[in-house]
Amino acid sequence: MGWREVAAEWTIKDIGAPLLASLAEGLYDAKEVLREYMQNAVDSYVDFQLLTGKAPRESVRIFIDDDAGDVHVMDDGIGMDRADILRAKSIAVSHKLERQNEFVGFRGIGIWAGLSACQRLVLETTKVDVPCVYRLTIEFGSIRDQVYDPIPIDNLLQGKFRIEERDGHSKDHYTHVRLEDVRKPHYADLLHVKEMSGYVSEFLPVSCDPEWTYTSDIERELADLPEAKTFDIRINGNRVYKKFPPVYKVVAKGERETLLKKPEAHIVRDKTGRVVARAWSCETNRRGQRKAIEVDHDLGEVNSFGVRIKNFQVGKRGFLADPARVADADNLGWYVGEIYITDTDIRPDTNRRAFQRSFRSDEVTAAIQQFYTEIATSSRGWSAEVAVLNTVAQVNETADHVQEMLAAGDQAPTVTKLWKDLNAGRRDLLQARQKANAKDTGEDSARVVAERKYLRKEAVRDAIKVALHRVEAVQKLLQEQSPETVVAAVQESESDGRRRRSKAQTANLKGVRVSPNRGTERVASTGADVETPEQEEDSDLTKRIIETVARAFLAAAAAVLGEDSEAYAEITDRLPVELQRRGLNV
Amino acid sequence: MSDNRSKVSEMSTEAKDYIRGIYDLNIIRQFQQDHCPEQRLSYLGLTGAEILDVLTWCEYIAKWTSVQMAHTFEGRYCADRIIHNALANNMEREFQLVRGDIDDVVGTSQGQSKPRYWPYQIVNLDYYGGLVHASRDPNLDRPVSKRLEALRGLFHKQAGHPFVLFLTLNLKDKDLGTVAGLVAEEEEDLAGLELEGVTECFHEHRSLRNAGLLKIFVPLFLGEIADQHDLIFSPPVLYRGTRPMIHFAVRCPPYVSHAAGRRLHTKDKIDLINLPLEVLHDRDTGMKEVDLSKITQPNGNR
């Protein structure tokens, strides 16, 4: 049963026309079609600089001729000579591979991107120092009509394209692509100036709006970053810029509210410490219930983060912000910023919606998600600061009210309520101060770190200090002027506290219920007594016992919940506070 | 800006370049100073593939509409070149290409809905095929000129707004005798009045053949139809471009003296007929006035 080899050659005839449909049909939507031609234009400027050493006028002009249903893209890049134009008609054979570290356009299908989008492609080009102009015309419509025929691909394409030349000027260099007779309705967006402008603004490498307050800060920060390079891209003569939400809002004549804080720069590293990206971010400065940055989509404003490779955005805003991997992912809406990938191993996939799989893509993805987590959890710090400052304001307002009331001779039950309000405010401020004063350990969660950072701001500390003094002063005043009412108010406050404590969180420690109530409880595992805060004797022993119990409790919680879990983090954050509330000063 | 300007001079002629770059440019500059100081203007016209007018006057132009017929292969190619040259020269902002017949675009209400930037301060009609270009309408007993009717429509559309009109005409016009007949009628009317030099004036103009006839006819025709505008003519210019041509430049400020509009009186007609005629030989020689007799009033006034 010996096998004998049969002579056979693999030729173009073995590739059927329907393969072309698989390549182009539905690969790109209207905006992505435009992006592909823009990508080519950008690449041509890179090539121009490489070839000539000169920095050309880097302008890409898009002209949407909705009367005729045509879209034009023109650049003054390097252009093409005869060899280039012959290669240009190739499918997925990119001479861009020859460029070192230039992966833009890699695996793109070049001028074929518009195969589904229009009836005809006309590309006119001339290369620097070449006194000849070339024109390539491809009948996309005719190709589509036959793409599902059972014929070899070369039969499909023959006769459906032509290349022409004429004399030109060697000083000229440009490429002008025309997508003729855009297909509607599927690709009608290509003829919509506002839609295309919005897309270009968000996804393509354009500069920040020069009218935006922080543009010069960001440009200064990114000046040395080639991955953040921008181009002058115009649609029907109007330059397109990146749009971000306004920094200020006018609230009254001559007064304005700051909505966005100044930008901060970041370096994103993977677990080994290798730099994978650079980023900038602006945090919300909103202090109300809703802190998320408001964007006007009609104006093309964006929030959250864009992940960019060679300054072309990959995917949508918030790319890679998987809530399963990014803590507080929702809070990314409190920020606006950009992440510029600097790891040269990372490339976009064919339609630029995700990273192409590579041996580095997982590490870089994880690094970005870690960055997101740090950013998002730091938003809790802002939240804590706002909450404290709101409390300070409320306390001051209550104190003002008390002083007015005393001056007017008002008595209880107003006094009772005010006393309770002041106590509640005092308690919250003490908690905040305690958080700020807590010692830093290497194991603090990101949230705790963030809260502490914001609460340690000098302005916040001062505000707390002043407010606490105010509370003390006003409560003293109340005691002097209305002692009976104050006594009643204090008693009522304390009974509320006991009720609150009885409802407080309890924990099971080796099956024994530990109640934070007053009184002594036996803890089976330690055999120690938990003493009430009022008992001053053996306070050191008490403290050691409580610390032991707390450590045992945390060990059990870690075993059950997992040390990396959010619940465990929540417990470690709140346990000291809860103990303090009960007078267990450990 | 690209090198297109120097490149396409080879396709234009020196004479046309001179008229465009010096003669007309001065008129535009003056018009801007008088009517739209420190503003840039809007342009409507037959730019041709190389958009030479727009490129030459770009300093003064904010918005422009190019009209190009595109029902033939050559027309479509020309339309493509217009867009290419607009992009190549960064002139695509506030630019519109209307594909169609200029006579329909300026002369009919349906056509007038296409250009975006009415009213236009510069209207440039480079009529390669001639002005009158009459055709036979089987329903009428006289030749019809769509082009002349379009000019009527243009002035009507621009009523109340100042603009400058450039009209460049091919001297070889299939006018079916229209112009000659109208000029003859005019001569007859004027000859019956107490004027001097009518016969000599018209005879000398006729000796210039179509150039002389158009030189009389065009200002009179515009004077009749532009009842909402004053007309300030620069001297018409004869030159040889790709063909023998005559070029008219007229500033058209709104007429405000009477609500009913301006009427063309005899004195106005005489002034129009007596316009000097320049001939452009070449760039170095410049323009020279053609010696033509003038019509005068009995007391020697023209």
Side-chain angles (χ1 to χ4, degrees):
Chain A
M1 284 201 299
W3 290 99
R4 295 179 296 280
E5 187 169 336
V6 176
E9 276 183 8
W10 188 268
T11 69
I12 193 73
K13 298 285 181 193
D14 294 310
I15 303 174
L19 181 64
L20 200 58
S22 302
L23 278 176
E25 193 78 55
L27 186 61
Y28 297 127
D29 64 21
K31 292 163 184 170
E32 290 163 347
V33 166
L34 179 68
R35 185 202 54 217
E36 286 306 300
Y37 292 107
M38 294 299 305
Q39 190 84 78
N40 293 335
V42 160
D43 289 348
S44 75
Y45 282 117
V46 174
D47 284 341
F48 185 94
Q49 194 150 11
L50 284 172
L51 186 72
T52 67
K54 295 178 195 168
R57 178 190 64 165
E58 290 170 333
S59 157
V60 183
R61 278 98 62 211
I62 301 165
F63 184 70
I64 296 175
D65 183 0
D66 53 1
D67 281 343
D70 298 346
V71 177
H72 301 251
V73 179
M74 183 160 186
D75 67 77
D76 298 310
I78 193 171
M80 299 184 206
D81 58 15
R82 176 184 280 248
D84 295 328
I85 197 84
L86 288 169
R87 272 200 295 257
K89 69 184 192 316
S90 307
I91 305 171
V93 178
S94 174
H95 65 284
K96 292 167 190 169
L97 286 169
E98 295 162 19
R99 246 185 278 129
Q100 274 190 341
N101 288 331
E102 284 300 331
F103 47 76
V104 198
F106 174 76
R107 211 170 67 180
I109 52 174
I111 59 173
W112 291 89
L115 175 60
S116 291
C118 64
Q119 286 302 110
R120 182 180 301 109
L121 174 114
V122 180
L123 184 155
E124 179 180 320
T125 183
T126 181
K127 193 167 185 174
V128 63
D129 295 333
V130 173
C132 215
V133 183
Y134 296 94
R135 184 169 67 185
L136 165 65
T137 305
I138 306 180
E139 302 292 341
F140 281 164
S142 298
I143 291 171
R144 280 199 309 275
D145 289 342
Q146 287 188 274
V147 79
Y148 289 106
D149 290 355
I151 54 176
I153 204 167
D154 61 341
N155 287 9
L156 169 68
L157 297 175
Q158 286 304 336
K160 303 242 181 13
F161 78 95
R162 62 185 178 280
I163 298 176
E164 301 157 280
E165 66 177 24
R166 62 170 173 83
D167 293 337
H169 284 255
S170 56
K171 280 190 292 184
D172 288 343
H173 49 89
Y174 62 81
T175 300
H176 176 180
V177 172
R178 180 169 83 245
L179 304 177
E180 215 174 272
D181 198 4
V182 167
R183 288 173 79 200
K184 296 169 189 174
H186 302 95
Y187 291 90
D189 278 354
L190 273 170
L191 299 173
H192 201 278
V193 172
K194 194 173 174 190
E195 285 287 328
M196 289 297 108
S197 296
Y199 178 77
V200 169
S201 170
E202 184 179 338
F203 286 83
L204 300 193
V206 295
S207 310
C208 296
D209 185 350
E211 302 288 316
W212 194 53
T213 309
Y214 294 139
T215 290
S216 50
D217 294 317
I218 287 164
E219 283 177 351
R220 210 165 24 244
E221 176 61 35
L222 299 175
D224 67 331
L225 187 63
E227 288 81 1
K229 186 173 173 56
T230 61
F231 293 83
D232 174 351
I233 300 178
R234 295 172 191 250
I235 297 181
N236 288 20
N238 294 306
R239 187 161 175 179
V240 181
Y241 293 106
K242 272 210 229 347
K243 295 286 189 184
F244 297 113
V247 172
Y248 301 111
K249 176 180 157 186
V250 175
V251 292
K253 195 177 174 185
E255 282 181 37
R256 62 183 188 183
E257 181 188 340
T258 303
L259 300 174
L260 274 182
K261 295 176 188 162
K262 286 198 123 195
E264 288 187 15
H266 309 276
I267 294 179
V268 182
R269 299 175 189 271
D270 67 12
K271 280 187 183 158
T272 69
R274 176 172 160 176
V275 176
V276 301
R278 278 173 61 180
W280 63 266
S281 67
C282 288
E283 186 184 16
T284 183
N285 197 52
R286 298 183 78 197
R287 293 164 185 267
Q289 285 266 352
R290 286 180 53 80
K291 294 184 180 55
I293 295 171
E294 286 187 347
V295 293
D296 187 337
H297 293 292
D298 269 352
L299 296 178
E301 292 172 3
V302 294
N303 64 352
S304 189
F305 289 87
V307 176
R308 310 186 82 89
I309 299 176
K310 293 293 187 190
N311 212 358
F312 281 75
Q313 186 173 295
V314 179
K316 296 186 178 177
R317 303 295 291 185
F319 174 58
L320 299 177
D322 177 2
R325 297 190 182 283
V326 175
D328 292 325
D330 285 347
N331 285 4
L332 290 177
W334 294 21
Y335 295 83
V336 63
E338 305 281 1
I339 302 169
Y340 303 91
I341 301 293
T342 54
D343 189 316
T344 54
D345 186 63
I346 300 304
R347 302 177 181 197
D349 66 3
T350 303
N351 49 16
R352 275 79 167 157
R353 293 178 195 162
F355 291 160
Q356 182 187 312
R357 292 287 302 163
S358 70
F359 81 95
R360 288 283 301 156
S361 57
D362 286 345
E363 279 84 355
V364 173
T365 299
I368 292 172
Q369 288 170 337
Q370 178 58 30
F371 168 73
Y372 281 153
T373 296
E374 287 164 9
I375 287 277
T377 51
S378 79
S379 65
R380 287 195 168 230
W382 172 240
S383 203
E385 178 182 335
V386 168
V388 160
L389 294 177
N390 284 343
T391 302
V392 164
Q394 280 162 16
V395 159
N396 284 325
E397 191 181 319
T398 304
D400 290 342
H401 189 192
V402 165
Q403 285 173 314
E404 284 166 15
M405 181 207 70
L406 287 175
D410 287 348
Q411 299 294 323
T414 311
V415 170
T416 307
K417 185 186 181 308
L418 290 173
W419 182 270
K420 285 163 74 170
D421 289 345
L422 285 173
N423 262 353
R426 179 172 173 275
R427 186 177 56 241
D428 291 341
L429 293 175
L430 284 172
Q431 280 177 13
R433 188 163 67 179
Q434 189 174 45
K435 282 185 186 176
N437 290 342
K439 284 184 188 163
D440 297 329
T441 72
E443 294 164 2
D444 292 323
S445 71
R447 287 175 193 155
V448 166
V449 169
E451 280 187 351
R452 209 174 280 156
K453 177 184 164 190
Y454 279 70
L455 293 174
R456 283 176 180 173
K457 289 184 184 176
E458 196 173 330
V460 175
R461 282 187 188 278
D462 289 347
I464 292 172
K465 186 176 172 184
V466 167
L468 284 171
H469 282 156
R470 188 104 197 269
V471 167
E472 197 180 317
V474 166
Q475 284 186 327
K476 192 175 171 186
L477 197 65
L478 271 173
Q479 281 174 326
E480 286 166 3
Q481 296 196 15
S482 185
E484 302 81 12
T485 320
V486 164
V487 167
V490 166
Q491 285 173 345
E492 197 174 319
S493 287
E494 288 182 348
S495 70
D496 283 347
R498 281 195 292 275
R499 283 194 293 274
R500 221 175 5 256
R501 288 191 199 103
S502 71
K503 291 177 186 172
Q505 253 184 310
T506 59
N508 286 319
L509 186 67
K510 298 208 174 176
V512 176
R513 196 172 172 84
V514 177
S515 165
N517 283 344
R518 286 182 183 174
T520 302
E521 302 268 344
R522 281 197 183 275
V523 177
S525 62
T526 63
D529 291 339
V530 174
E531 295 181 347
T532 65
E534 289 75 22
Q535 295 177 4
E536 298 292 336
E537 295 161 359
D538 299 324
S539 60
D540 286 343
L541 177 61
T542 303
K543 190 174 173 182
R544 283 202 301 277
I545 290 169
I546 294 170
E547 282 174 349
T548 304
V549 167
R551 279 200 291 276
F553 164 68
L554 287 173
V560 171
L561 301 170
E563 215 168 317
D564 291 330
S565 69
E566 286 196 18
Y568 181 72
E570 183 98 13
I571 289 169
T572 54
D573 288 350
R574 295 190 64 176
L575 183 58
V577 173
E578 294 302 321
L579 290 172
Q580 276 286 339
R581 277 183 59 208
R582 289 153 182 80
L584 301 173
N585 296 316
V586 296
Chain B
M1 188 170 288
S2 91
D3 230 3
N4 270 347
R5 279 197 232 174
S6 57
K7 184 171 62 180
V8 301
S9 286
E10 298 153 23
M11 297 157 70
S12 176
T13 61
E14 274 198 23
K16 184 64 181 172
D17 287 346
Y18 179 90
I19 287 173
R20 181 190 305 118
I22 296 176
Y23 191 71
D24 290 346
L25 187 58
N26 283 335
I27 292 168
I28 289 171
R29 189 177 293 129
Q30 189 63 49
F31 172 84
Q32 187 207 37
Q33 283 173 10
D34 293 344
H35 298 284
C36 312
E38 294 177 25
Q39 286 177 41
R40 296 171 81 198
L41 312 173
S42 55
Y43 166 107
L44 169 70
L46 301 165
T47 60
E50 304 304 326
I51 63 170
L52 296 174
D53 298 328
V54 174
L55 291 178
T56 307
W57 305 331
C58 62
E59 184 187 342
Y60 297 94
I61 293 176
K63 309 175 186 182
W64 59 290
T65 298
S66 174
V67 182
Q68 174 64 46
M69 288 178 66
H71 61 277
T72 62
F73 177 80
E74 290 78 12
R76 283 194 295 277
Y77 177 75
C78 198
D80 293 342
R81 298 315 302 166
I82 290 170
I83 294 178
H84 174 84
N85 286 318
L87 284 165
N89 289 282
N90 284 290
M91 291 289 295
E92 76 275 17
R93 186 156 195 252
E94 308 274 30
F95 155 62
Q96 179 195 15
L97 174 66
V98 173
R99 292 169 175 82
D101 186 332
I102 185 69
D103 297 328
D104 291 330
V105 170
V106 302
T108 66
S109 53
Q110 189 183 10
Q112 285 168 0
S113 65
K114 291 182 184 174
R116 276 184 217 142
Y117 307 124
W118 292 107
Y120 288 89
Q121 284 88 44
I122 303 171
V123 179
N124 184 29
L125 303 176
D126 218 325
Y127 279 138
Y128 210 56
L131 172 67
V132 179
H133 204 67
S135 60
R136 286 257 178 235
D137 185 329
N139 298 320
L140 298 175
D141 58 3
R142 57 176 172 80
V144 171
S145 172
K146 190 180 175 190
R147 207 148 271 181
L148 293 178
E149 292 307 304
L151 284 170
R152 244 185 250 278
L154 171 67
F155 276 96
H156 179 72
K157 182 73 179 174
Q158 298 267 82
H161 302 285
F163 69 105
V164 59
L165 172 66
F166 296 116
L167 209 52
T168 307
L169 307 173
N170 185 353
L171 291 182
K172 295 188 178 176
D173 187 348
K174 283 191 336 181
D175 73 338
L176 298 176
T178 306
V179 172
L182 290 168
V183 169
E185 282 178 22
E186 206 58 55
E187 183 183 5
E188 202 176 313
D189 289 344
L190 291 173
L193 302 174
E194 289 182 6
L195 299 166
E196 291 174 5
V198 172
T199 306
E200 294 82 357
C201 177
F202 276 82
H203 174 72
E204 287 178 13
H205 278 82
R206 277 197 195 88
S207 71
L208 298 175
R209 299 190 190 178
N210 274 359
L213 293 175
L214 286 170
K215 188 250 178 200
I216 288 178
F217 171 75
V218 170
L220 288 179
F221 174 73
L222 294 181
E224 288 284 356
I225 64 173
D227 59 350
Q228 298 299 318
H229 290 87
D230 281 320
L231 299 180
I232 305 163
F233 278 89
S234 297
V237 180
L238 279 176
Y239 72 96
R240 176 165 273 278
T242 49
R243 299 182 183 194
M245 310 292 277
I246 184 166
H247 178 73
F248 294 89
V250 52
R251 280 186 290 147
C252 313
Y255 177 76
V256 295
S257 300
H258 293 104
R262 183 182 53 75
R263 295 185 66 185
L264 197 64
H265 300 288
T266 302
K267 185 187 177 309
D268 301 319
K269 290 187 184 181
I270 294 169
D271 289 340
L272 291 174
I273 293 168
N274 284 344
L275 279 172
L277 176 66
E278 305 273 352
V279 175
L280 177 62
H281 293 279
D282 55 53
R283 197 181 184 91
D284 296 326
T285 311
M287 292 204 240
K288 292 202 166 168
E289 186 173 337
V290 175
D291 192 14
L292 289 169
S293 295
K294 307 245 187 266
I295 298 173
T296 58
Q297 307 231 331
N299 56 5
N301 292 338
R302 291 181 186 169

